[in-house]
Amino acid sequence: MLRIIRITLAAVMMIGITWLFVDFTGTAHHLVGGFAKLQLVEALLAGSFIVVAFLTILTLLCGRIYCSIICPLGIMMDLFGWLGKKAKKNRYTFSKEMKWLRYPLLVVFLVAHMAGLAVVVQLLAPYSTFGLIATNLLQPVYQAGNNVLAYFAEQADSYAFYHSEVWLRSVASLVIAIVMLMVIAVLAWRNGRTWCNTICPAGTLLSLLSRFSFLKINFDTEKCRNCSLCSKNCKAACIDYKTHTVDASRCVVCGDCIKSCKFGALKYDYAHLHTKRTGQTGETSGNSPENEGRRAFLLSSALLATAAMAQKKDKIMDGGLAEIEDKVAPERQIKLTPPGSLSAQNMAQKCTGCQLCISECPNQVLRPSDDWLHLMQPVMSYERGYCRPECNRCSEVCPAGAIRPLKHEDKASTQIGHAVWIKKNCIPLTDGMECGNCARHCPVGAIEMVPSDPDDEESPYVPAVNEARCIGCGACEYLCPARPFSAIYVEGHEVHKEI
């Protein structure tokens, strides 16, 4: 029953979070958006005290079930591990905890976060790693399938589906996603939960609590026949059948050992009651219950305190006659970060690079950064669309607090950058034709057309930007007809302003 419940809950969570990443319509966010808020690292960064308290209590009561039913990367590893067991039965064996590796990696993760080394944080945080894989590898497949359905629906005069453009946001992000998927797949196929119990910072944090959990997998030594099937089927490599002990700090409560035991010698129950019954501790530690409870309280308090501290297509055609040349992104001195991110520093410190905001952006404005210091964190560019003032989806879906929730009216008054005019690219001057596209489409009226020669009213009219009014939405840059470089582009601000 334990295993059935675990598989059912894990399936619901996995389907929901995967749908959340591949969906481009916004439907998934309204139905399963809360799943992203349950991720431990993101909840800590967002200062979500309620979520951290829930996960802390859950771990102290039930052990590391977070890794089996909530973490999408852990569930994906279980799928690869299941395939590995199909290829070779009884493939696992007991191994000692690699403290020399897992705790230094946790320190590296914490130091990288405080130092703003985003790439280290993103490659270690489990949810961001899954998001990287889902956005770069699964969403294009989902979109392609949608486009096939849209084609057939169109032939039947139906509008049940609409075409979605599949495009490459970042070569670096795609390559990293492929490499990470291969590494995780091989490790999980061969050794089960090696990644969770040696590399993952969320797993290491929870292991500090799970060793004191109320419910644990325990041996009934009177029934055990030392057949070793439990150890050979434990993907966490945490069961030593010879000494009848289970390392609760690594156990993810999957229930596979209970299923594999033919003598009913393993149970998931209260460890101390079981100790009185059998005289076995079921733990490698000889600490008293009182000391264990005290340590658990201190560890959970530290985890909660951390959360509280964190809180302060086709080518576009012109009339169907001529192809329009693709735009080239300008070299911005300061990268553009989404409205609600407050500043480049806040984005660097809070963002785990899960790419949920990128996959959810309906205007194709967000894409992963190729800057190695902020690799895979979202940046804005306006070759394919602009940041519409009425859209706030990225701020709604961010689980880590890197993009704070913004109301529509607040977004329209948030200045993330300002437009800059490039004289040498402007069509009225280069081609002698009237334009004014940027002024006509500016949603906040920050651009007006003025004579290029102040003393000659008949001179070509060119844009003049009111920087104090411009919010940096990029409508002018996107809609500028100059190719390949726009005659007007948006320069980012290090710190966003309210206007």
Side-chain angles (χ1 to χ4, degrees):
M1 182 59 67
L2 171 66
R3 189 168 178 271
I4 293 174
I5 293 173
R6 189 263 300 176
I7 292 175
T8 302
L9 293 177
V12 171
M13 183 64 68
M14 187 65 173
I15 293 171
I17 290 185
T18 303
W19 184 31
L20 194 62
F21 276 102
V22 301
D23 177 54
F24 54 88
T25 65
T27 305
H29 168 66
H30 296 291
L31 296 176
V32 295
F35 287 6
K37 309 292 184 181
L38 291 175
Q39 306 307 312
L40 178 61
V41 174
E42 284 68 24
L44 284 169
L45 293 175
S48 181
F49 187 84
I50 294 177
V51 173
V52 175
F54 167 73
L55 295 178
T56 300
I57 295 171
L58 183 67
T59 305
L60 287 173
L61 286 176
C62 304
R64 277 179 55 188
I65 62 172
Y66 168 89
C67 301
S68 289
I69 65 173
I70 297 178
C71 175
L73 191 67
I75 299 170
M76 186 174 74
M77 289 179 191
D78 282 347
L79 292 175
F80 288 124
W82 177 77
L83 293 174
K85 289 178 68 175
K86 287 290 184 181
K88 179 182 178 181
K89 294 182 179 180
N90 303 327
R91 66 179 309 132
Y92 305 126
T93 183
F94 171 75
S95 63
K96 293 183 178 180
E97 179 185 9
M98 290 188 282
K99 296 181 180 179
W100 59 271
L101 179 60
R102 68 189 312 198
Y103 294 113
L105 280 175
L106 176 60
V107 174
V108 168
F109 176 82
L110 296 174
V111 171
H113 164 63
M114 292 184 288
L117 299 176
V119 63
V120 177
V121 174
Q122 292 154 16
L123 292 177
L124 293 179
Y127 178 72
S128 64
T129 300
F130 178 82
L132 173 71
I133 294 170
T135 301
N136 288 276
L137 303 180
L138 298 183
Q139 190 183 52
V141 175
Y142 183 87
Q143 288 178 294
N146 169 84
N147 291 344
V148 171
L149 294 176
Y151 171 79
F152 287 109
E154 183 180 354
Q155 305 306 309
D157 294 326
S158 171
Y159 296 95
F161 300 91
Y162 63 89
H163 185 274
S164 173
E165 184 179 4
V166 182
W167 58 288
L168 180 60
R169 297 182 177 94
S170 168
V171 174
S173 186
L174 176 63
V175 171
I176 294 173
I178 294 173
V179 172
M180 293 298 291
L181 177 62
M182 293 175 62
V183 170
I184 289 170
V186 171
L187 282 176
W189 188 85
R190 289 177 58 86
N191 302 307
R193 288 286 185 143
T194 300
W195 181 282
C196 292
N197 286 328
T198 58
I199 298 173
C200 177
T204 303
L205 276 174
L206 292 174
S207 74
L208 299 174
L209 296 174
S210 63
R211 63 184 73 226
F212 309 118
S213 61
F214 182 81
L215 297 173
K216 298 176 182 178
I217 302 291
N218 295 287
F219 272 92
D220 187 336
T221 55
E222 295 178 356
K223 295 181 179 180
C224 182
R225 297 295 181 268
N226 292 337
C227 67
S228 79
L229 281 177
C230 54
S231 294
K232 292 178 179 178
N233 285 275
C234 177
K235 55 198 169 190
C238 67
I239 299 179
D240 186 357
Y241 75 95
K242 295 179 181 179
T243 60
H244 299 137
T245 56
V246 180
D247 183 357
S249 70
R250 290 183 291 157
C251 176
V252 293
V253 200
C254 64
D256 289 351
C257 57
I258 297 176
K259 177 178 179 294
S260 64
C261 182
K262 299 178 180 180
F263 307 103
L266 287 165
K267 294 182 179 179
Y268 180 58
D269 60 9
Y270 179 39
H272 303 309
L273 287 178
H274 188 80
T275 299
K276 292 177 182 179
R277 244 188 356 253
T278 65
Q280 295 291 329
T281 62
E283 278 286 329
T284 58
S285 170
N287 294 329
S288 66
E290 293 78 7
N291 288 336
E292 288 188 356
R294 191 178 299 113
R295 290 180 184 177
F297 173 77
L298 292 175
L299 288 168
S300 60
S301 299
L303 199 58
L304 296 174
T306 303
M309 290 171 63
Q311 197 160 16
K312 40 183 188 190
K313 106 183 137 180
D314 299 323
K315 294 286 186 181
I316 300 174
M317 307 299 279
D318 183 7
L321 300 176
E323 290 186 2
I324 299 177
E325 186 179 2
D326 287 338
K327 282 196 172 188
V328 175
E331 289 291 333
R332 308 181 204 274
Q333 297 299 315
I334 301 176
K335 300 292 185 182
L336 286 162
T337 58
S341 61
L342 305 181
S343 67
Q345 181 180 7
N346 180 72
M347 175 63 72
Q349 290 182 339
K350 293 292 184 70
C351 179
T352 61
C354 73
Q355 303 195 14
L356 181 57
C357 58
I358 295 173
S359 65
E360 287 280 337
C361 179
N363 304 309
Q364 299 185 336
V365 167
L366 295 178
R367 69 266 338 252
S369 172
D370 290 330
D371 174 14
W372 282 100
L373 189 60
H374 307 99
L375 192 65
M376 296 181 289
Q377 291 188 339
V379 293
M380 305 175 72
S381 201
Y382 302 126
E383 296 82 65
R384 295 176 174 270
Y386 69 96
C387 191
R388 298 178 181 273
E390 70 274 11
C391 175
N392 62 349
R393 194 184 298 178
C394 61
S395 72
E396 291 180 334
V397 302
C398 178
I403 308 175
R404 298 288 182 178
L406 272 182
K407 296 180 180 179
H408 297 296
E409 57 270 22
D410 294 331
K411 181 182 176 181
S413 61
T414 299
Q415 187 182 63
I416 64 173
H418 65 274
V420 178
W421 177 55
I422 307 298
K423 181 179 180 179
K424 65 179 181 179
N425 296 339
C426 198
I427 286 179
L429 300 180
T430 59
D431 297 352
M433 300 174 61
E434 291 186 6
C435 182
N437 224 27
C438 52
R440 282 195 300 274
H441 295 286
C442 179
V444 294
I447 302 175
E448 63 175 320
M449 302 301 291
V450 299
S452 56
D453 183 354
D455 299 324
D456 182 8
E457 288 291 331
E458 299 299 323
S459 62
Y461 274 57
V462 295
V465 180
N466 182 351
E467 293 185 8
R469 194 168 184 177
C470 176
I471 61 174
C473 68
C476 55
E477 179 180 329
Y478 170 61
L479 296 168
C480 177
R483 294 294 192 280
F485 295 100
S486 294
I488 193 167
Y489 80 99
V490 178
E491 189 62 60
H493 288 171
E494 285 280 359
V495 180
H496 296 179
K497 304 175 183 177
E498 292 292 327
I499 59 174

